[in-house]
Amino acid sequence: MACIPIDKRISDIEKQGHSLNRRIDKLQSDYDYLVESMISRPWANMTAQCRLLEEWNEEIESLKLEVDDLRKEWTRLNIIKNSKSLKKKTNTMKTID
């Protein structure tokens, strides 16, 4: 089993998080635009548009959950990284004395 360095994993999580946030922003923008167009120019049958809004809303919520999970993982790894760096500093200080 390959071992991924913590710094690399943190970097990957940050990239993935930025990508997901851009996707959320894009979907939210499209969602807002469709809602605005439905209000300003109502159609006789808006069933398809309403269904699309529901799908987008579900996807946005799902992506937000993914971002939250990534944030938790990033925090966990960052705590591990900081504790390891603190241990190294402590060990270095003991060898200097």
Side-chain angles (χ1 to χ4, degrees):
M1 181 173 174
C3 188
I4 300 172
I6 290 177
D7 288 335
K8 174 69 174 138
R9 181 66 185 132
I10 288 174
S11 175
D12 291 345
I13 288 172
E14 289 171 352
K15 288 177 187 173
Q16 192 175 4
H18 291 303
S19 175
L20 288 174
N21 281 325
R22 283 192 303 273
R23 178 73 179 142
I24 290 170
D25 290 343
K26 173 69 172 130
L27 280 172
Q28 190 65 53
S29 173
D30 291 347
Y31 182 93
D32 293 343
Y33 176 78
L34 184 55
V35 168
E36 183 65 33
S37 69
M38 289 171 68
I39 291 170
S40 63
R41 293 175 277 137
W43 296 289
N45 185 0
M46 289 198 230
T47 308
Q49 289 80 6
C50 290
R51 199 170 326 118
L52 183 60
L53 287 175
E54 289 174 14
E55 289 176 15
W56 282 350
N57 194 39
E58 289 172 6
E59 186 173 352
I60 289 168
E61 292 304 315
S62 172
L63 291 172
K64 285 181 180 179
L65 289 174
E66 285 184 50
V67 168
D68 193 42
D69 290 343
L70 285 174
R71 189 174 289 120
K72 289 175 186 174
E73 179 69 7
W74 182 90
T75 302
R76 186 184 70 81
L77 291 173
N78 210 24
I79 290 170
I80 292 170
K81 176 184 164 188
N82 289 338
S83 69
K84 284 185 177 183
S85 95
L86 184 61
K87 284 181 184 178
K88 285 182 182 178
K89 286 180 184 178
T90 306
N91 289 338
T92 306
M93 296 293 281
K94 287 179 183 178
T95 58
I96 293 174
D97 294 337

